[in-house]
Amino acid sequence: MAEAAGAAVPAHLHGGLPDEIVVWEILVRLPPKSLLRCRAVCPAWRRATSTRDFLLAHHARQPSLPLLCGYDIEFAGVSLDVISLDHRAGLGAVDQLQPVARLGNSFFRLRASCDGLLLLSSLYRNLGFSICNPATRQYARLPQLDGFAVLGIYPHSPTGEYRLLLAKSDASYVFTLGSDQPPKRIWCPDSENTVCELSSVLFHGSLHWHEQSGSNMVKVFNTTTELFRRMGAPSVPGKANLFEMDGMLGMSSFNDAATTIDIWTTQDYESEVWAIKYRVELPVAQLTVKFGKFDGKWNVVPSRDVDVLMLVNFGNWLLQIDMNGKLVASFHRVLHCTDQLRLKQSLVPHSFFPTLEGYVVNDSPFI
C-alpha cells in the first residue's frame, strides 16, 4: 500500500529524509490535530496526507481510548465535554485527560461510537439523535431515529456502509447512514429483551451486549449477516459491562455489596468458555470518606502496563484503581464513565455526511 500511494507523493517533502519515511513513518503517526496543522506547511504535505490510503493508515495507527463525558452549565445552556483518557505509559495524570469535543445548544448524551464517529442523543429542543466526527468537526441530525433505541453502530463489510442497529419493544431495525429509506425491520428473537441502556461492544465482527441484570446470556448481532444469536456468559448478580481485552471478549460486574469487581474473559470464544481473570477488591469505605459516595458507574480499561485499570466515580472525583485495589490516580472533576465506549479518531471522509439533515462543518453545536 505504501509503495502504491507513495508513487503519487511529490518529491522532497523534507530536505533530509526520504518521502517514504516522512509520510509513512512520521506523519502517519501524528494525532489528527497535529496532522491537520502539518497540512498547512505546504501544498505537497497537504496532498501527501489527503489520499484515502494515507488516511486509512493514519486511522489504523490511532490509539483506541476510553471516553468520558462531563457537563458544564452555561448561560446559553448545558454543554457536553467529550474527553478521552490516554492512560499509556509516560503521561502524568493531568495529561491523561485529552479534550475531544465540546458540544452546546442542547443536553447531549453520548450513545455509541465506531471508527471515530460518535452517536449522540439530545433531551432538549427536539433534536433527537445526531452523529458527528470530532476530528473533522462534522455534525448532522438523524431524525429517522426518533422513537427508536440505539443498540450500536457498525461498518457493514459487504457494502462498506455504516449502519445503526435499532430497537423498539416489538422488533429490531437496521438503518443505513445516508439512506433516504426508513429503518428496515429485521427478525430478532425476544425483542422485548433487546432494548437496554448498556452500550454494545464490537468484537469479532459482531455487536455484543449483556441482556439484563442477573442474566447469564449475551446477545450477539453479526454485522455481516445481520442475524442475532445468543451466547452463554457467567451468571452475575447485577448489570455487566462488556469490553475487549487482549483479543478476548471481557465482562465485568460488581457484587451485591458493590465492593468487588469480577472480571471475566473468554478462554474459548467459539465454545463460549469463560474464566474469571481478576477479582478486584475496592476499599469503598476509605474511598468514600476521602472522595464521596460511589455512584455505581465504572469502566474496565485494559492496560499494557498494569493489565487492567478500573475507572470509578466517587462524588466529584474520577478515580483510577489497579487490579490490586490500589488508587493509581485521581481527577477532581465530574466525569461520567460511558459503559466502555472508546474512540479511535479518524480523518477518513464519509460520503453520507453531506446527505444528512442539518449537516454542518466546524459550526454549532461544536463550541
Side-chain angles (χ1 to χ4, degrees):
M1 179 190 71
E3 292 180 0
V9 175
H12 310 304
L13 291 175
H14 187 280
L17 293 172
D19 294 346
E20 286 287 314
I21 299 297
V22 174
V23 175
W24 299 103
E25 295 297 333
I26 298 177
L27 295 179
V28 77
R29 300 175 186 269
L30 294 177
K33 287 184 179 179
S34 299
L35 181 63
L36 292 175
R37 293 190 189 100
C38 287
R39 286 183 175 179
V41 171
C42 64
W45 280 38
R46 183 176 183 84
R47 286 193 297 268
T49 59
S50 299
T51 67
R52 186 168 183 84
D53 280 348
F54 175 85
L55 293 175
L56 289 171
H58 176 261
H59 171 59
R61 292 273 192 175
Q62 299 307 300
S64 177
L65 301 176
L67 284 174
L68 304 166
C69 290
Y71 291 95
D72 283 335
I73 300 177
E74 303 170 340
F75 177 77
V78 179
S79 63
L80 168 67
D81 286 325
V82 181
I83 297 169
S84 63
L85 179 74
D86 193 342
H87 56 284
R88 293 175 295 176
L91 289 177
V94 175
D95 296 323
Q96 290 186 34
L97 298 180
Q98 305 284 339
V100 172
R102 171 172 282 194
L103 299 106
N105 295 335
S106 184
F107 195 148
F108 286 106
R109 183 176 176 184
L110 192 55
R111 292 292 186 176
S113 62
C114 179
D115 290 348
L117 300 171
L118 301 180
L119 187 72
L120 308 161
S121 65
S122 173
L123 302 180
Y124 295 162
R125 303 189 183 182
N126 297 318
L127 293 180
F129 287 96
S130 55
I131 192 164
C132 73
N133 182 338
T136 59
R137 294 178 67 82
Q138 295 170 289
Y139 170 91
R141 289 190 56 212
L142 296 171
Q144 303 92 330
L145 307 190
D146 291 350
F148 290 92
V150 175
L151 300 179
I153 179 173
Y154 60 94
H156 185 240
S157 56
T159 62
E161 299 167 338
Y162 279 87
R163 297 183 176 182
L164 299 171
L165 178 62
L166 312 172
K168 286 186 175 180
S169 59
D170 64 328
S172 294
Y173 297 77
V174 166
F175 176 70
T176 299
L177 288 174
S179 172
D180 59 359
Q181 299 298 313
K184 180 180 70 173
R185 181 171 177 162
I186 60 174
W187 179 82
C188 173
D190 300 324
S191 295
E192 67 277 7
N193 293 326
T194 299
V195 179
C196 65
E197 288 296 317
L198 295 177
S199 302
S200 57
V201 172
L202 184 60
F203 176 77
H204 279 195
S206 295
L207 293 173
H208 300 70
W209 65 97
H210 192 242
E211 282 195 344
Q212 57 190 0
S213 294
S215 171
N216 65 341
M217 301 299 295
V218 168
K219 188 159 282 189
V220 184
F221 177 75
N222 187 305
T223 61
T224 299
T225 63
E226 298 187 323
L227 296 175
F228 287 92
R229 67 178 178 89
R230 277 176 163 159
M231 67 179 291
S235 181
V236 296
K239 76 169 188 175
N241 287 335
L242 300 181
F243 58 95
E244 182 177 355
M245 177 178 176
D246 297 331
M248 298 179 289
L249 183 63
M251 185 176 83
S252 68
S253 70
F254 262 104
N255 64 348
D256 287 327
T259 57
T260 302
I261 300 177
D262 285 342
I263 299 175
W264 303 74
T265 57
T266 49
Q267 299 302 293
D268 187 329
Y269 176 81
E270 299 300 331
S271 300
E272 303 178 7
V273 176
W274 297 74
I276 190 164
K277 191 172 181 68
Y278 302 109
R279 175 161 288 165
V280 183
E281 302 284 347
L282 295 182
V284 174
Q286 296 94 312
L287 295 174
T288 300
V289 169
K290 186 173 182 179
F291 299 105
K293 186 179 179 180
F294 172 54
D295 74 351
K297 292 284 189 178
W298 81 95
N299 275 7
V300 173
V301 181
S303 172
R304 293 181 181 179
D305 306 308
V306 294
D307 291 332
V308 292
L309 289 171
M310 267 58 64
L311 299 179
V312 291
N313 291 115
F314 278 79
N316 292 332
W317 293 78
L318 176 71
L319 308 181
Q320 278 186 16
I321 297 173
D322 67 16
M323 59 186 176
N324 297 313
K326 179 182 177 182
L327 180 64
V328 176
S330 59
F331 307 93
H332 193 193
R333 183 174 178 182
V334 181
L335 294 171
H336 303 279
C337 298
T338 58
D339 291 331
Q340 303 295 152
L341 292 181
R342 303 179 75 87
L343 178 67
K344 189 179 176 72
Q345 294 202 70
S346 175
L347 294 171
V348 178
H350 297 290
S351 59
F352 64 75
F353 258 118
T355 70
L356 300 178
E357 181 177 315
Y359 170 65
V360 295
V361 181
N362 200 27
D363 202 345
S364 177
F366 283 109
I367 298 176

